[in-house]
Amino acid sequence: MANPQPHVVMLPFPAQGHIKPMLMLAEVLCHAGFRISFVNTDHIHNIIVENIDKSPLSQFPGFRFLSIPDGLPPEHPRDSSSIKDLFTSINSTGKIMFRDLIISLLRRDDLEREEIWHAPCCIIADGIMSTLAIDVEEELEMPVITFRTYSATCTWVYFHLEKLIEQKEIPVREGDEDIDRLVTCITELEKVLRRRDLPSICRCEVDPSILKFFLEQTSKMRRASGLILNTFEDLEAPIIRQLHSIYSKVYTIGPLQALLKSQMDDSPVAGAATGSLRQEDRTCIAWLDKQPAKSVIYVSFGSVVVMSPDQILEFWHGLINSGKPFLWVIRPDLVFGNGPNGLPEEIMCPTNERGYVVSWAPQEEVLAHCAVGGFLTHSGWNSTLESITVGVPMICWPLIVDQKVNSRCVSDIWRVGIDMKDSCDRSTVERMVRVLMEDKDEEIAKSTSKFANLAQKSVREGGSSFCNINKLIEDIRSIQSKKDDCKTK
Ligand SMILES: *[C@@H]1O[C@H](CO)[C@@H](O)[C@H](O)[C@H]1NC(C)=O
Ligand SMILES: *[C@@H]1O[C@H](CO)[C@@H](O)[C@H](O)[C@H]1NC(C)=O
């Protein structure tokens, strides 16, 4: 009898920037015929469930969502100001719940939607869910492949957190006189990374328990049997080589969005509904259609960043003063302490026709639109990769987690944009928008198109990401068949 298709349990961290790439990987694996049990927290599950029918994943009988409690009461906001609670409860309640779930999946074959679900053969877990997954791996002998949704560079930096503490490079304080000094203890980054560019968890205003959470997750993560990254060889080759010193298997399979597209020209592309936890306002596409080629700067700070009323005003004036048309995503919860109507007045009054504001945009489509010539971004990894893939240069204003590292790579390693970190006064915003939109920097234009080509190439037949995803699929199949062999013995 033929071996059954592998059944993989996937465990994302409960935040949009983590769920989205995990769902994209799930879709690729479903195309290969795998069965996927995708485990969200109940909180995320309840949000996603409304959109399930619109998701391309709903067409796969071998895909299902499962969920576990995150341990927080339903009314808890789970926003960036209270993220610490989520870290703690995931590490305690979440961990117990996940173990129980895996045990129940191992105990009996399930029947769901007339499909038989055999016991899973491995777990693909977010790198920062490692304390949940790795103990299960060791107790229940179920291999864990870790998927770190950050760049290779940032992943590499996280592996040095302990060393950075030992060498007293962190915590970093805004206003430290040596904040611009190079950090020399991270191989390959000695000449680029300043203390200023370290992940936000290294700043002293961030609660130390958050740093502790990442230290613990990262140290557990080392024990996984392989590492998956949403990046591509040509973008981060030297760092990927370094990561091989920790993992014998490193699967760089990005840009995932492009990989998915290239794998299924015949079926609908992973739509906005997949993993988008917000309602997109598509009217901005019609507005873009009316703008000249490469004239518009697209502004979005992602799904979690919050800013002060003063900061948003500086951006507003900087954009207006630059004289360039802009499309700006202002989420109702972008400005802290303010409801949707608490935005500074200037911003609420109907803009001159140069600016267009939406509460959430179909980002991928916007970036690929020919009217868009630049991206003012918070430098989340998802957005960064997306922008690199379609060749749109960036202005980076990073705030949290990996963003400060990404923006440094953008400006000083890949040269596909400029870094504005730690300042946003209106004159800086205006100047940077002009530099970017008036093509004043030839090197940026050249690198941007070079990396866009390399990104596209990596996902085509014979490209590095194309080969790596097939390798991953084969390796999981062989885990499954080893398991089947054991059973028959
Ligand atoms: C990530 O990228 C996709 C497009 O590739 C976009 O639809 C989504 O809004 C982006 N942002 C986040 C935080 O997931
Ligand atoms: C996570 O759980 C472990 C083991 O229960 C505990 O020692 C550790 O302090 C917890 N970490 C955080 C950040 O809550």
Side-chain angles (χ1 to χ4, degrees):
M1 207 181 73
N3 286 334
Q5 289 284 4
H7 172 194
V8 178
V9 173
M10 298 182 86
L11 179 68
F13 179 80
Q16 172 153 333
H18 293 250
I19 295 168
K20 174 94 192 183
M22 194 67 98
L23 278 172
M24 291 194 283
L25 175 57
E27 198 174 342
V28 175
L29 297 178
C30 283
H31 274 280
F34 284 23
R35 282 181 183 257
I36 304 292
S37 294
F38 197 94
V39 184
N40 282 310
T41 59
D42 293 342
H43 175 77
I44 296 286
H45 186 78
N46 293 336
I47 300 172
I48 279 189
V49 99
E50 290 169 25
N51 283 323
I52 283 180
D53 295 343
K54 285 184 258 163
S55 156
L57 281 160
S58 63
Q59 61 177 312
F60 295 105
F63 179 89
R64 64 175 176 182
F65 284 113
L66 299 176
S67 72
I68 53 172
D70 61 13
L72 292 176
E75 67 279 7
H76 190 284
R78 297 165 173 81
D79 57 10
S80 49
S81 62
S82 59
I83 193 84
K84 195 178 119 203
D85 301 344
L86 187 61
F87 287 152
T88 316
S89 72
I90 278 188
N91 182 45
S92 51
T93 313
K95 181 173 165 164
I96 297 166
M97 296 297 164
F98 183 66
R99 177 180 175 273
D100 288 353
L101 176 76
I102 296 294
I103 291 177
S104 77
L105 294 178
L106 288 174
R107 202 171 290 146
R108 58 180 166 80
D109 291 346
D110 271 344
L111 191 68
E112 189 167 324
R113 284 180 290 161
E114 292 167 30
E115 300 282 331
I116 296 173
W117 291 73
H118 299 289
C121 70
C122 74
I123 298 169
I124 296 180
D126 193 300
I128 63 169
M129 296 294 259
S130 292
T131 57
L132 282 69
I134 299 288
D135 287 349
V136 168
E137 158 168 50
E138 289 167 4
E139 183 192 354
L140 306 172
E141 291 179 36
M142 168 141 354
V144 172
I145 306 173
T146 185
F147 181 9
R148 192 70 165 107
T149 55
Y150 290 177
S151 67
T153 306
C154 195
T155 303
W156 184 233
V157 171
Y158 271 68
F159 280 123
H160 291 78
L161 286 176
E162 247 155 279
K163 202 168 184 183
L164 289 166
I165 294 171
E166 262 166 45
Q167 307 210 346
K168 302 210 164 37
E169 295 284 12
I170 59 180
V172 178
R173 194 182 316 267
E174 177 94 66
D176 276 355
E177 53 192 39
D178 59 350
I179 195 167
D180 287 320
R181 193 187 69 223
L182 289 170
V183 172
T184 52
C185 67
I186 308 179
T187 315
E188 287 298 340
L189 298 174
E190 304 92 335
K191 295 200 176 71
V192 226
L193 206 67
R194 303 162 302 176
R195 294 177 71 232
R196 188 191 285 287
D197 305 312
L198 290 169
S200 62
I201 53 165
C202 302
R203 295 266 171 132
C204 65
E205 64 269 21
V206 174
D207 193 299
S209 70
I210 294 182
L211 177 61
K212 180 168 170 260
F213 174 84
F214 282 97
L215 273 166
E216 286 166 4
Q217 297 300 338
T218 311
S219 105
K220 276 268 158 118
M221 184 182 145
R222 283 177 181 267
R223 312 227 291 264
S225 25
L227 171 67
I228 302 171
L229 290 170
N230 184 13
T231 185
F232 57 102
E233 187 71 36
D234 285 317
L235 190 64
E236 302 186 276
I239 303 285
I240 295 166
R241 261 199 303 281
Q242 296 295 330
L243 287 168
H244 274 283
S245 67
I246 302 175
Y247 298 97
S248 58
K249 293 188 167 146
V250 180
Y251 309 94
T252 55
I253 56 171
L256 263 168
Q257 191 74 15
L259 180 78
L260 250 183
K261 256 191 230 157
S262 78
Q263 294 220 324
M264 2 161 257
D265 338 83
D266 46 343
S267 46
V269 165
T274 325
S276 182
L277 306 183
R278 293 173 191 276
Q279 200 62 40
E280 292 169 347
D281 180 347
R282 300 192 47 82
T283 59
C284 60
I285 301 293
W287 181 81
L288 283 175
D289 288 342
K290 289 193 273 220
Q291 311 301 321
K294 289 196 172 188
S295 66
V296 175
I297 174 122
Y298 168 57
V299 185
S300 172
F301 300 109
S303 52
V304 287
V305 159
V306 288
M307 56 195 347
S308 70
D310 288 344
Q311 288 172 326
I312 200 167
L313 263 185
E314 291 304 308
F315 277 108
W316 180 260
H317 287 293
L319 284 164
I320 298 278
N321 296 345
S322 77
K324 311 291 172 208
F326 59 90
L327 167 60
W328 191 353
V329 175
I330 301 185
R331 303 180 335 254
D333 53 351
L334 177 64
V335 178
F336 56 69
N338 283 309
N341 299 321
L343 283 174
E345 239 167 63
E346 290 93 321
I347 296 181
M348 288 322 285
C349 66
T351 346
N352 45 60
E353 58 285 3
R354 256 198 276 117
Y356 198 84
V357 174
V358 291
S359 59
W360 196 244
Q363 170 156 307
E364 199 209 341
E365 212 177 321
V366 166
L367 283 173
H369 197 288
C370 60
V372 172
F375 183 13
L376 173 48
T377 172
H378 67 307
S379 296
W381 184 237
N382 177 50
S383 295
T384 304
L385 202 53
E386 189 67 35
S387 201
I388 288 175
T389 309
V390 291
V392 173
M394 288 166 266
I395 299 171
C396 306
W397 192 65
L399 284 182
I400 53 171
V401 286
D402 59 334
Q403 300 162 7
K404 289 178 199 282
V405 181
N406 298 340
S407 63
R408 187 64 172 171
C409 295
V410 163
S411 66
D412 283 70
I413 302 182
W414 309 319
R415 304 280 299 131
V416 294
I418 41 188
D419 192 359
M420 200 171 86
K421 78 165 51 93
D422 298 331
S423 74
C424 69
D425 58 281
R426 59 190 73 182
S427 62
T428 309
V429 175
E430 176 187 345
R431 179 169 49 81
M432 293 215 162
V433 171
R434 285 180 188 277
V435 167
L436 199 78
M437 300 304 288
E438 292 167 8
D439 279 335
K440 286 189 174 145
D441 191 322
E442 261 178 49
E443 199 189 342
I444 291 182
K446 248 171 78 187
S447 314
T448 306
S449 86
K450 179 185 91 178
F451 280 115
N453 284 329
L454 290 171
Q456 301 291 344
K457 210 176 107 199
S458 73
V459 298
R460 283 199 296 266
E461 190 154 1
S464 57
S465 296
F466 180 94
C467 295
N468 286 336
I469 188 76
N470 289 325
K471 186 87 186 49
L472 176 66
I473 289 169
E474 267 168 44
D475 288 348
I476 295 175
R477 281 194 200 287
S478 85
I479 295 173
Q480 171 73 39
S481 49
K482 266 193 216 124
K483 213 176 112 233
D484 294 334
D485 292 349
C486 290
K487 258 198 268 171
T488 47
K489 260 180 212 152

